[in-house]
Amino acid sequence: MGLKKIKKLLAILLSTIFFTSAITSVSAATFTDVPENHPYKDAVEFSRAKGFVAGTGVSTFSPDAKVSRAQFAFIWCRSLNIIEDNHPYSDITKLRNYYDSSVVILRGLGILSGTSTTRFSPSGYLTREQLALITMKTYNLGVADDDAYKAYADSAAISDWAQDGVSACINAKVLEGLYDGESFKPGEHVTRAELCKLIYNISVPAYTITIAPLEGGTVEALPSKARPGTVITLTVAPEAGKQLKAGSLKYNGTAVTGNTFIMPAENVTITAEFEDKPTVLESISVTTPPAKTTYTAGEALDLAGMVVTANYSNNTNNVITEYTTVPDAGSTLDTQGTVTVTVSFTVGDVTKTTTFTVQVNPAG
């Protein structure tokens, strides 16, 4: 059997092992520098629980620390369930460094190359575009869309040799929640937390979000397919005259607080109920002014003939008489010039006002 066929079969075997790997329960003890709100917390804890990574201290992980090429080879082998321990044979020279076996294995599989024909540069740092290419090689990812990498605003900065790798990772959706921003930043160094997130994305299946049939409005979920721990944002759009019934927005029967929830390790169905909006007073207007709008100082305000209309949220309106005015009807108008009369009307705890003016001339 040729080397090419052996590598292909091994890639299939690795993918099967990796994708069928069950989610391991996470130890109660967590890293103090990876708080609950850290975007990659689930991924870090998953990778730690699986034995792929360890902390940099008793309770620290250093999530933002850069990953060296040696560290990457060691972690990558572990994530692939490849035994990277040194050999046990006494009649063969032992490898010296913790990463030697990992580097030799990955190079033999055609997954990892050196920085030149004679050097590996173990202390050098791994870049994002290098990681994308390695991921494509490891899992034999196809490139469904050659131009997928161009979705990034800085696509021109992605090296020619890495373009297929980036496109393949986008097509396989393994960069979701990782490098799915506007820019890819291909030359930026990979961090420990980012590597955990990629491993997590490949290991853990993405679950679907289904919107149940609704009446009176719509609900949209973004993203509509996600891995556990992903923040799902719901956009609720009631139809005209409708509103979301309080407490009715749920995922798998669990009430949603606000408009987001954390994706569980299962498929999700979104349910919601819409109800008629209560009729609310929106405005009032003087649709017919009083018969008398010009006065002589000392005369009383006369509102006879005035018609006031109330307008409601359900696009209805009606003439009202239970309004109040300032100044009141019958009040003596002593101030000369233009006088503003404020009309108020209250329904429940909602009060609306409008105004009109009258002219007060000097007496005599």
Side-chain angles (χ1 to χ4, degrees):
M1 182 181 294
L3 177 60
K4 186 174 181 181
K5 289 186 177 180
I6 293 175
K7 287 170 63 178
K8 183 175 181 180
L9 289 174
L10 182 55
I12 294 173
L13 176 61
L14 292 177
S15 297
T16 302
I17 293 173
F18 212 28
F19 278 99
T20 57
S21 178
I23 299 177
T24 301
S25 60
V26 178
S27 169
T30 57
F31 296 118
T32 56
D33 56 353
V34 187
E36 290 295 329
N37 62 350
H38 193 285
Y40 304 146
K41 178 178 176 59
D42 287 344
V44 171
E45 294 296 349
F46 171 86
S47 297
R48 188 269 293 271
K50 284 291 189 181
F52 303 154
V53 297
T56 53
V58 176
S59 60
T60 57
F61 181 71
S62 304
D64 298 326
K66 301 172 184 177
V67 177
S68 71
R69 290 168 53 81
Q71 292 169 342
F72 169 78
F74 185 74
I75 294 170
W76 202 243
C77 267
R78 286 195 167 191
S79 74
L80 295 172
N81 292 322
I82 295 175
I83 297 175
E84 82 294 331
D85 294 339
N86 211 331
H87 66 78
Y89 309 116
S90 60
D91 54 350
I92 297 178
T93 303
K94 295 282 187 181
L95 300 176
R96 294 184 304 169
N97 303 301
Y98 75 91
Y99 54 82
D100 287 349
S101 294
S102 301
V103 172
V104 171
I105 291 170
L106 293 180
R107 180 184 179 279
L109 292 174
I111 293 174
L112 191 60
S113 302
T115 55
S116 73
T117 56
T118 59
R119 298 186 65 81
F120 178 72
S121 304
S123 60
Y125 295 117
L126 191 74
T127 66
R128 292 182 175 184
E129 62 179 4
Q130 290 171 348
L131 180 60
L133 181 62
I134 290 169
T135 302
M136 181 184 74
K137 289 182 176 180
T138 302
Y139 294 100
N140 196 30
L141 300 179
V143 185
D145 180 1
D146 293 339
D147 293 331
Y149 75 95
K150 293 181 180 178
Y152 289 116
D154 59 352
S155 61
I158 299 175
S159 301
D160 291 346
W161 51 263
Q163 290 171 2
D164 280 353
V166 175
S167 292
C169 287
I170 292 174
N171 296 158
K173 301 186 184 303
V174 297
L175 300 183
E176 290 181 344
L178 180 59
Y179 303 139
D180 55 2
E182 181 178 339
S183 298
F184 181 62
K185 302 177 182 178
E188 193 160 305
H189 296 136
V190 177
T191 68
R192 286 166 54 80
E194 289 173 349
L195 180 55
C196 287
K197 177 60 175 173
L198 178 65
I199 292 172
Y200 181 78
N201 282 356
I202 297 172
S203 304
V204 180
Y207 294 95
T208 58
I209 301 172
T210 302
I211 309 298
L214 303 173
E215 293 183 0
T218 62
V219 177
E220 180 184 14
L222 289 177
S224 59
K225 190 174 184 180
R227 293 178 175 82
T230 302
V231 176
I232 307 301
T233 300
L234 301 177
T235 300
V236 179
E239 295 176 357
K242 297 287 187 176
Q243 66 180 13
L244 179 67
K245 184 177 180 180
S248 71
L249 184 61
K250 299 178 181 180
Y251 69 96
N252 288 357
T254 300
V256 176
T257 301
N259 67 333
T260 62
F261 68 92
I262 304 300
M263 188 70 180
E266 60 182 351
N267 292 328
V268 164
T269 298
I270 304 297
T271 55
E273 295 179 45
F274 294 91
E275 60 186 5
D276 292 334
K277 279 186 175 181
T279 301
V280 177
L281 176 66
E282 291 193 334
S283 66
I284 62 172
S285 57
V286 176
T287 48
T288 302
K292 185 175 177 64
T293 57
T294 302
Y295 295 83
T296 299
E299 289 186 311
L301 178 63
D302 183 359
L303 300 181
M306 184 171 75
V307 177
V308 179
T309 301
N311 306 298
Y312 298 92
S313 57
N314 62 353
N315 295 321
T316 62
N317 56 70
N318 63 279
V319 174
I320 56 175
T321 57
E322 299 84 8
Y323 55 81
T324 60
T325 63
V326 177
D328 295 332
S331 298
T332 301
L333 300 176
D334 293 322
T335 303
Q336 299 177 24
T338 300
V339 175
T340 298
V341 180
T342 301
V343 183
S344 301
F345 178 62
T346 300
V347 175
D349 58 355
V350 177
T351 298
K352 297 297 180 181
T353 63
T354 189
T355 61
F356 67 94
T357 62
V358 296
Q359 182 65 35
V360 180
N361 298 321

